Amino acid sequence: CGSKTSEQKNIQFSIPTDVASLDTTILTDQYSYDVAGNVEEGLTRVDSKGNAALALAKSIDVSKDGLTYTVTLKDNLKWSNGDKLTAKDFVYSWKRAVDPKTGSEYAYLMGAVSGANDIISGKSSLDTLGIKAESDTEFTVTLAQPTPYFKFLLSEPVYYPLDQKVVDKYGKQYGTSSDKTVYNGPFMFKSDKAWTGTNKNFSIYANPNYYDKSAVKSKQIDFQVISNANTGAQLYKQGKLDFTLLSTTDLINANKKTEGYTVFKQARTDYIEYNQSGKNASSPDAQKALANQDIRQALNLATNRAEVVKTALPGSTAATSFTPVGMSKTSTGEDFATYAKQDYSYDPTKAKELWAKGLKELGLTKLSLSLEAAGDLAPSEATANFLQTAYQQNLPGLTVNLKLVPFKQRLNDAQNGNFDMVLSGWGGDYAEPSTFLQLFTTGQSYNDGKFSSKTYDDAFKAATTTPDVLEPAKVDEHYKAAEAALYEGSYINPIDFQANPALMNPKITGLEFHSTGLAYDLKSAYIK
Amino acid sequence: MVKYILKRLGLLLLTLFLIVTLTFFMMQVMPGTPFSNPKLTPDQLEILKHAYGLDKPLWQQYFIYVGHMFTGNFGTSFIYTNQPVITMIAQRLPVSMQLGTQALILGTVLGALMGKASARRKNGLLDGIFGFLSVLGISVPSFVIGTLILLYLGFNLNLFPISGWGTFSQTIMPTIALSFAPMAVVTRFVRSEMIESLSSDYILLARAKGLSEKEVVNKHALRNSLIPMLTLIGPMAAGLLTGSVLIEKIFSIPGIGAQFVDSIPAKDFPVIMATTIVYAVILMVFILVTDILTAIVDPRVRL
């Protein structure tokens, strides 16, 4: 480690888990994305202001009805192997992504493109996908419905182009190691310090074929996979690492004063879902109780979010809406979550009143509720522990039974509605509120609590369909109304907006963090 | 002997078949699917299951798997998308084996020397110290020792690189951490064997013949104590060579142990199956080889 060139020191970057794949159609985990997103690129790339700026595209023209996108590629685009990068590479890649045989977990992000959903579910052929190459540098895209955030989607890996020649050559092996992949991004892999599919030390190098190579400031960036966060922090202090994530409460608290301590706000919200389906709760009483708005409101008011964050989730911030802060902007440039903020406050007195009122309505004097959380995720367990005590203290007659299960079990139970209260988490895919607010429309499969609010449904529908979908100011209003409906009905209980505390060498300049999509954009990053 | 070996090989195959079958069906009891994205709707999950053949009836999946297994096809990983499991194991197993071998050699050699010294000065100061060390080695898990070594030799004294794999110096701390347990076991074993043999008649005879103390101890007592150690080292070696999960995690080593553990909560079926098979085969082969070696070294053992 610590290799140096004569004039410039390489950034020593660490990630906590192995890279799983470089195949941009099928990679699923954040850290594979963080590597792939720096060696590959799409039509757009999110810039420092959070806008979807043009990347491989020279221009993207949108028709008045918002349904047709005409894309012109930059001139003379090339892959790292010298192949020309053309419109066909997009047509090929997008079809590969929606092909059910490919088995891409992120294929659903292509749902905005006309025909995609039917192809994904095997109902129609690949030819019906709404993309057509007009020439080597131009293609048109037809959408299923107007999608104001489509330019953000275009920056996602499933939308990246692929060099068919190379994919055909390696078949299923494409992207399983760095020598079985071809690159079009700011960086690329070489045979020296390559990624073999399993190794934990590898490097990326500035790509000489990249169209914007003058903006790439590092010649080489070294990656290390360090699964033990304590080791990462120690290597940072020894000067052997320039970037490492802090993943445990203890480590975060111990490093708040360390030079370079930085908190990256994620587009992730932790929230409690209440089982309002009328079935599968732990008891008939629990079932009745969670259908009662006073009871739910009492639970929401008894949640001391600031204290949860302090005790269990250092770095995170108390939630004030479901859509997290720092993810997307309104048409006037304001942060959406700030604009749509609700009064999720801590008020134990009012909570007690409503609790007593609710119990009386139900003819109960005491109540047992279970709270399920993922025991294999440390912050989740800590949050659940805190809430159990806080609820029992604040709400007389309440017993909270903690149910700590593996993450996959929690997911299963939530989806099948087998819970009273479950601590869930959601991360955004793109920088627009619908990536969060789509969850709770009636009958949506992520609406684990199975509640139904007409106000919410109407607001969401108005925001995402014509005519209002084409007017950004109205979209903002409708989304805000949806947030208000969630709050008024106490349908869910947003706890916190997650953050990634990290240690980052203060000499690193130009590293862009994004709360959705590519988290760490190293394109212009270098050590001063 | 040949008949015995053939019989044992037959039993080995039968055991392997049972392990494959049990593991296969036990995996199905775990919740969830191998698809890690919580955003997939039930419909989308069904489409993915179909793409990977996971929607077929269980018995069909089982026969398909066993069929492929016989042709040497262990499938591809779900987490490390499309990576052939065989390649993954081929890349990771040698790493674990190197670490295990180093720890085994270090542990056995140190253990034998410490055991010998203890036996020669039974109840002496050195015996006390070594006795204490071996109790520590047996009772303190390797990850605690690993963390302590990491803290003192790595963090505080900065003697060795604290993570990664590739250079010999990176293997030193994990080797020491892993060698504690075999060292402790061997020390105790050699000590008690030697104390026993030092008081036996043939030692008395050797001494009576006028052999030097060094010769008596090294040529007669120690050598005789090492034979039964074979039975001890066999299974221990199998355990060490198949990778230490926690040590691999602590020192960021790309071995097979860490991968095996990660594959379980992720429900990465092909990886779980193939790794289980590799583990089982290694363990059974080592036990078999140990038995055969014991018979060769000690003619009193009849197979």
Side-chain angles (χ1 to χ4, degrees), chain B residues 159-206:
Chain B
L159 289 178
F160 306 109
I162 57 179
S163 90
W165 189 258
T167 62
F168 179 70
S169 62
Q170 284 173 322
T171 70
I172 294 175
M173 288 198 295
T175 303
I176 298 176
L178 263 187
S179 67
F180 254 75
M183 181 200 74
V185 175
V186 171
T187 304
R188 292 173 68 91
F189 189 83
V190 169
R191 180 184 179 272
S192 63
E193 284 287 320
M194 272 201 42
I195 288 173
E196 199 187 310
S197 49
L198 278 175
S199 61
S200 59
D201 293 345
Y202 69 89
I203 294 292
L204 196 65
L205 177 68

Side-chain angles (χ1 to χ4, degrees), chain A residues 367-371 387-388 391-392 398-402 421:
Chain A
L367 182 64
S368 284
L369 292 174
S370 71
L371 173 60
L387 289 175
Q388 179 191 36
Y391 283 158
Q392 293 186 153
L398 174 64
T399 311
V400 175
N401 302 312
L402 267 198
M421 300 188 280

Side-chain angles (χ1 to χ4, degrees), chain A residues 144-166:
Chain A
Q145 58 182 47
T147 311
Y149 51 88
F150 190 63
K151 282 184 188 169
F152 282 105
L153 291 180
L154 291 175
S155 71
E156 289 291 314
V158 269
Y159 283 93
Y160 289 178
L162 284 171
D163 187 349
Q164 182 172 4
K165 207 174 83 188
V166 180

Side-chain angles (χ1 to χ4, degrees), chain A residues 2 19 84 130 135 173 221 247 277 331 335 352 375 389 418 513:
Chain A
V19 170
K84 277 177 82 177
S135 70
Q173 296 286 296
I221 292 176
S247 55
S277 67
S331 55
D335 182 85
K352 270 195 191 79
T389 318
N418 291 323
F513 171 82

Side-chain angles (χ1 to χ4, degrees), chain B residues 1 222-231 289-303:
Chain B
M1 181 101 151
L222 184 62
R223 192 176 289 181
N224 267 316
S225 330
L226 293 184
I227 294 170
M229 218 168 77
L230 271 179
T231 52
V289 170
T290 310
D291 287 355
I292 296 167
L293 276 183
T294 317
I296 293 170
V297 177
D298 188 346
R300 286 170 302 179
V301 179
R302 285 278 157 258
L303 298 177

Side-chain angles (χ1 to χ4, degrees), chain A residues 156-218:
Chain A
E156 289 291 314
V158 269
Y159 283 93
Y160 289 178
L162 284 171
D163 187 349
Q164 182 172 4
K165 207 174 83 188
V166 180
V167 180
D168 285 347
K169 182 174 169 194
Y170 294 112
K172 283 233 160 198
Q173 296 286 296
Y174 179 79
T176 56
S177 62
S178 63
D179 58 345
K180 299 193 177 86
T181 318
V182 65
Y183 309 96
N184 71 18
F187 296 94
M188 61 182 283
F189 278 94
K190 290 185 182 172
S191 53
D192 190 31
K193 291 193 80 186
W195 176 65
T196 62
T198 47
N199 60 337
K200 293 182 187 284
N201 290 290
F202 45 83
S203 300
I204 56 175
Y205 304 85
N207 177 359
N209 284 346
Y210 184 57
Y211 65 88
D212 194 17
K213 61 185 168 196
S214 60
V216 181
K217 295 290 192 310
S218 283

